[in-house]
Amino acid sequence: MSTASKPRRDRGPGTLYAIIGLVMALLLIGTGGYFWLSGRTPQGLAVGGPFALTDGDGKPVTDKDFRGKYMLIYFGYTFCPDVCPTTLNTVADALDKVGPKADKVRPLFITVDPKRDKPAIVKQFAAAFGTRVIGLTGSAEQIAAVAKAYRVYYAEHRTGTGPDDYTMDHSSVLYLMGPDGRFVAPIRADLAPDAMAAALGRLVL
Ligand code: NI
């Protein structure tokens, strides 16, 4: 996405532009796109927070289980035809390239399709990307709560009349959270492995 800045308007229909700007900002915040326009986010911006989910063995897991490690969080779903597997492949490749710092990072895949993505399914899916990626699921309510905390958009998109005839629309952003659980930075999910490795090398201390 372009990050070209808009020229300042000193006169003209300022109120209208302000309203349009506000609406656009809200839409972008909703999809995580805000970060691409603002670049680095200021410390303390409310992204992320406590979560309670289920791991691939059906055991409860919370954000606190990852304290002391960076969490690299991606939201998606295992039936995703393209973007999710591509992103997780890139994450796995980037961590292979980043060197010893990779051991400080826990890549978490959190499904937005808890109806289909039961623990065994997220486990199997995560395992396709090597030993590092951790697949997490939860109840519909737990997933809704964590997605809200991370400002992730997702919605069922019907493709037919059968119970499994749907895809999930979802925002595609990686969130790097620090060893204290706080938001560090977003990382673009569409980076090439080298660029993602470079970003991780810079951000992981
Ligand atoms: Ni996807």
Side-chain angles (χ1 to χ4, degrees):
M1 185 180 294
S2 163
T3 55
S5 58
K6 287 184 228 163
R8 277 226 175 271
R9 293 176 186 279
D10 295 322
R11 45 186 100 82
T15 307
L16 178 60
Y17 285 113
I19 292 169
I20 291 171
L22 181 63
V23 169
M24 286 186 67
L26 289 171
L27 288 171
L28 288 165
I29 288 167
T31 59
Y34 167 79
F35 302 123
W36 307 150
L37 294 183
S38 65
R40 288 294 183 84
T41 49
Q43 285 287 346
L45 188 71
V47 172
F51 60 73
L53 296 167
T54 303
D55 72 12
D57 295 319
K59 293 183 185 140
V61 58
T62 76
D63 54 296
K64 292 191 177 56
D65 294 323
F66 301 102
R67 287 294 180 280
K69 300 290 182 183
Y70 287 78
M71 298 186 291
L72 182 60
I73 304 183
Y74 186 71
F75 291 82
Y77 68 116
T78 71
F79 290 79
C80 184
D82 184 13
V83 175
C84 292
T86 303
T87 301
L88 292 175
N89 262 323
T90 303
V91 167
D93 288 351
L95 287 169
D96 283 345
K97 288 168 184 277
V98 87
K101 282 184 178 178
D103 294 333
K104 298 182 174 184
V105 180
R106 293 290 177 271
L108 306 183
F109 168 78
I110 301 178
T111 185
V112 293
D113 184 14
K115 201 161 48 173
R116 287 187 295 203
D117 285 344
K118 299 305 177 195
I121 295 177
V122 291
K123 183 177 185 175
Q124 187 184 24
F125 182 71
F129 307 100
T131 54
R132 288 197 180 95
V133 179
I134 299 165
L136 300 176
T137 184
S139 68
E141 292 76 19
Q142 288 174 321
I143 297 300
V146 67
K148 186 178 179 192
Y150 282 84
R151 295 155 189 257
V152 165
Y153 163 82
Y154 66 103
E156 204 174 291
H157 177 82
R158 300 301 311 181
T159 56
T161 52
D164 287 336
D165 292 342
Y166 65 91
T167 59
M168 298 298 294
D169 298 332
H170 64 94
S171 37
S172 184
V173 182
L174 288 155
Y175 297 96
L176 186 68
M177 311 300 288
D180 56 359
R182 290 184 188 227
F183 176 65
V184 174
I187 296 178
R188 282 176 50 179
D190 61 351
L191 293 178
D194 284 328
M196 194 178 289
L200 288 169
R202 202 169 56 240
L203 292 165
V204 172
L205 304 176

